[in-house]
């Protein structure tokens, strides 16, 4: 099953490190990086704000736990954001490419 992921990182160097590791391990087929995102969130009962980098991309459900493990190992946050959403449909050729690109 194909899925879409959303991961936040502290800065571009951290995002690049995550991207390279996930692609080299063939846990993901593609990653898009969005820089300088304003993030607002509740942390320790206070409203916090920071600039973040967002990684979004495509993978398969079987790799979710492996991706979380890699992110936890390389990430600077105490609780890194790693979430997944199932892809229910799309360009069949593209979805096939994702499956063929991943371990």
């Amino acid at each position: 099953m194909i899925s879409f992921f959303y991961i936040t990182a502290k800065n571009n160097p951290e995002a690049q490190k995550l991207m390279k590791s996930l692609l080299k391990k063939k846990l993901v087929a593609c990653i898009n990086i969005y820089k300088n995102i304003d993030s607002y969130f509740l942390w320790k009962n206070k409203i916090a704000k920071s600039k973040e980098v967002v990684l979004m991309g495509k993978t398969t459900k079987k790799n979710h736990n492996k991706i979380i493990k890699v992110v936890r190992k390389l990430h600077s946050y105490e609780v890194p954001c790693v979430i997944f959403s199932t892809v229910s449909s799309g360009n069949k050729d593209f979805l096939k490419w994702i499956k063929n690109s991943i371990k």
Side-chain angles (χ1 to χ4, degrees), residues 4-16:
F4 181 77
F5 62 85
Y6 178 94
I7 299 169
T8 57
K10 179 171 101 172
N11 54 35
N12 193 52
E14 184 170 80
Q16 293 290 319

Side-chain angles (χ1 to χ4, degrees), residues 39-94:
S39 294
Y40 300 88
F41 50 94
L42 291 173
W43 185 248
K44 299 184 179 180
N45 294 319
K46 294 182 181 178
I47 296 175
K49 177 189 177 197
S50 68
K51 289 280 186 190
E52 290 186 305
V53 177
V54 172
L55 296 90
M56 294 193 301
K58 299 86 179 172
T59 189
T60 55
K61 185 175 171 109
K62 69 178 183 176
N63 286 333
H64 289 187
N65 289 332
K66 292 175 188 173
I67 291 168
I68 291 169
K69 190 179 276 190
V70 168
V71 172
R72 282 184 174 158
K73 181 179 176 186
L74 299 176
H75 211 289
S76 62
Y77 290 173
E78 184 179 333
V79 183
C81 169
V82 183
I83 56 176
F84 300 93
S85 181
T86 301
V87 174
S88 60
S89 65
N91 176 347
K92 289 180 181 174
D93 293 332
F94 185 74

